[in-house]
Amino acid sequence: MPEDASSGNSVKDFIDLVKRSRRGKLKIYIGMSAGVGKSYRMLQEAHALMRNGIGIQIGYIETHNRAETHALLAGLPVIPRRHIFYKGKELEEMDLQAILNRHPEVVIVDELAHSNIEGSKNAKRWQDVVDILEAGISVITAVNIQHLESLNEEIEEITGISITERIPDKILQMADEVVNIDLTADELIDRLKEGKIYEKAKIERALQNFFQNDKILQLREIALKEVAHHLERKIDIEVPKQIKLRPERFLACISSNAETAKIVIRKTARLASYYRSPWIVLYVQSSDESMERIKLDKQRHLINNFKLATELGAEVIKLKSDKITQTIMQVADEREITTICIGKPHLSLFQVILRTTVFNELLKNIAAKQTDLVILS
């Protein structure tokens, strides 16, 4: 490498290090659903920080008119929201610029998954939080587990509710601390019945839909696992290992089959998040899948899946080849992949082994290597 190029990389690395050290700290309160007490806990913490001389301000809080939560606002400095006229209505949004101008030591930002009004600097509030952190301001924020991008379909299956506001997993990975606000299913349902979550008119409907014991238990388990995974990742990073282990690297192989590809992308994202590992999405375009041969809707879904992979933190590689297995193995070798992830074919495993050339060749190729093959259904 030329000396000037090496020097340039060294300077860039040092600048990145300086930026990271100047970045604010991020604390995320996570819960299994609305009403577990995330906003309440953030306001309690704000009072504790004030008592200890920390410059804390409220950038945005949503009390949902819950009396206990609203009472905690007393005595806390609140940055006024900005008022915007949108489609004939006056709406309120968090004032990002005012937060940056005031530059408190710590700011409370509720509703992390919120979508900003059209015309705002950022489309999503989590992007606002990134801007605040990069300005050197620490952030305490909150989100429900169902808003995590890679869990989207799993949560929808449990609740029957489509979640449109989502945050990428990388935000949770950026967090210096993740705290689970945990309640039992019975405690949460009791809070609902006592009117501590929704107004009386909404209680019965909520009990018949989202707030059912089996749904809450499943969401609680997911939230607990997510926070446990975060702690494990933190330990892996901060506690030095005596033995140098081969780092995990995941390769998700997709085709133009939109639904299967989406499953493979989301589940590989979860695996990569768990191991805090880099991962790649590989699409090998055979002559049968050339843009002239596949329908426009398939092309559109494919582009959307590339976008989803990028949002979830993957590197996307697109290659043209009719030698699919060889191409997959070549990329796996070049990138030192430890685990190859593929979608479950629409055949029984026995039929796959006998009839599916790509699968059969993959098995033969990885047999002699230290590479795992994961079939995602």
Side-chain angles (χ1 to χ4, degrees):
M1 181 182 288
E3 189 177 338
D4 58 340
S6 176
S7 174
N9 287 340
S10 176
V11 171
K12 183 181 180 299
D13 290 343
F14 183 69
I15 290 170
D16 289 342
L17 184 65
V18 169
K19 283 181 177 177
R20 283 198 299 274
S21 68
R22 288 178 178 171
R23 191 188 74 121
K25 300 296 183 185
L26 176 61
K27 182 173 185 175
I28 300 178
Y29 281 103
I30 200 164
M32 59 185 165
S33 78
V36 295
K38 300 181 300 300
S39 300
Y40 187 87
R41 281 286 294 275
M42 286 196 296
L43 291 174
Q44 278 187 321
E45 185 166 357
H47 280 284
L49 289 169
M50 269 189 69
R51 287 194 298 271
N52 284 277
I54 303 296
I56 175 84
Q57 298 208 23
I58 307 299
Y60 188 93
I61 196 75
E62 191 55 74
T63 64
H64 297 285
N65 295 318
R66 294 167 190 153
E68 293 174 349
T69 306
H70 200 79
L72 282 173
L73 277 171
L76 292 173
V78 178
I79 297 172
R81 299 178 186 181
R82 63 191 182 104
H83 295 261
I84 305 167
F85 281 94
Y86 182 71
K87 294 185 177 179
K89 292 182 180 179
E90 187 180 24
L91 303 172
E92 292 183 339
E93 278 283 25
M94 182 179 81
D95 195 332
L96 172 61
Q97 193 56 52
I99 293 170
L100 296 175
N101 290 345
R102 287 200 187 185
H103 210 281
E105 285 182 76
V106 184
V107 67
I108 301 284
V109 176
D110 206 353
E111 304 280 344
L112 183 61
H114 171 77
S115 296
N116 293 330
I117 295 169
E118 192 176 318
S120 300
K121 178 182 182 289
N122 297 311
K124 301 285 186 179
R125 185 165 291 158
W126 66 261
Q127 294 170 316
D128 293 339
V129 165
V130 172
D131 285 352
I132 294 167
L133 291 169
E134 288 178 353
I137 303 166
S138 294
V139 176
I140 300 171
T141 187
V143 70
N144 288 328
I145 193 67
Q146 59 262 39
H147 295 290
L148 198 59
E149 177 66 63
S150 67
L151 290 171
N152 179 247
E153 290 182 353
E154 187 178 347
I155 298 290
E156 192 172 328
E157 282 181 18
I158 293 169
T159 63
I161 300 168
S162 178
I163 308 296
T164 55
E165 292 187 323
R166 305 194 287 272
I167 65 166
D169 292 48
K170 67 181 179 183
I171 297 301
L172 224 57
Q173 292 167 19
M174 283 172 58
D176 299 283
E177 190 176 353
V178 177
V179 178
N180 182 43
I181 305 297
D182 187 39
L183 290 178
T184 66
D186 289 341
E187 286 172 330
L188 186 60
I189 290 170
D190 285 345
R191 281 179 57 79
L192 177 68
K193 289 177 179 177
E194 290 165 6
K196 292 181 178 179
I197 300 177
Y198 298 134
E199 57 192 42
K200 288 183 179 180
K202 295 180 179 179
I203 292 173
E204 194 55 42
R205 186 178 175 186
L207 286 168
Q208 292 172 2
N209 294 293
F210 186 90
F211 285 80
Q212 293 179 18
N213 200 277
D214 61 327
K215 293 178 181 178
I216 293 169
L217 286 173
Q218 290 178 76
L219 292 173
R220 186 186 185 201
E221 182 183 8
I222 291 169
L224 288 167
K225 280 182 178 177
E226 187 58 43
V227 176
H229 291 168
H230 174 82
L231 181 59
E232 286 172 5
R233 289 193 296 262
K234 192 175 176 67
I235 290 169
D236 283 343
I237 291 166
E238 294 181 2
V239 178
K241 291 194 183 318
Q242 300 303 317
I243 302 170
K244 179 73 173 175
L245 298 176
R246 186 185 180 203
E248 290 288 342
R249 294 179 186 273
F250 294 89
L251 178 66
C253 302
I254 66 168
S255 69
S256 60
N257 184 314
E259 289 308 310
T260 302
K262 193 180 288 184
I263 290 167
V264 171
I265 290 167
R266 287 189 190 278
K267 291 196 172 182
T268 307
R270 295 294 299 156
L271 286 168
S273 174
Y274 178 81
Y275 287 100
R276 205 178 182 89
S277 302
W279 63 294
I280 296 166
V281 168
L282 173 64
Y283 170 62
V284 183
Q285 184 188 79
S286 65
S287 51
D288 290 336
E289 287 203 337
S290 65
M291 290 304 160
E292 295 79 25
R293 293 193 178 187
I294 63 172
K295 294 179 181 177
L296 284 174
D297 61 332
K298 272 198 169 187
Q299 292 182 34
R300 189 174 66 254
H301 288 311
L302 191 58
I303 291 166
N304 287 339
N305 280 331
F306 292 151
K307 184 181 176 186
L308 173 65
T310 303
E311 287 173 351
L312 287 172
E315 175 188 352
V316 176
I317 297 176
K318 293 169 268 188
L319 298 171
K320 292 182 180 181
S321 174
D322 285 322
K323 296 179 179 179
I324 296 172
T325 306
Q326 291 92 321
T327 305
I328 291 171
M329 293 310 302
Q330 184 181 342
V331 171
D333 287 341
E334 289 172 356
R335 297 305 189 94
E336 298 181 333
I337 298 297
T338 59
T339 304
I340 297 171
C341 302
I342 64 170
K344 182 181 177 183
H346 301 293
L347 296 166
S348 72
L349 188 58
F350 183 69
Q351 288 172 318
V352 166
I353 292 169
L354 288 180
R355 302 182 198 174
T356 308
T357 308
V358 172
F359 187 87
N360 214 350
E361 288 179 358
L362 268 178
L363 284 177
K364 287 177 182 176
N365 275 273
I366 66 172
K369 300 176 182 291
Q370 286 185 314
T371 308
D372 295 323
L373 179 66
V374 176
I375 304 168
L376 301 169
S377 60

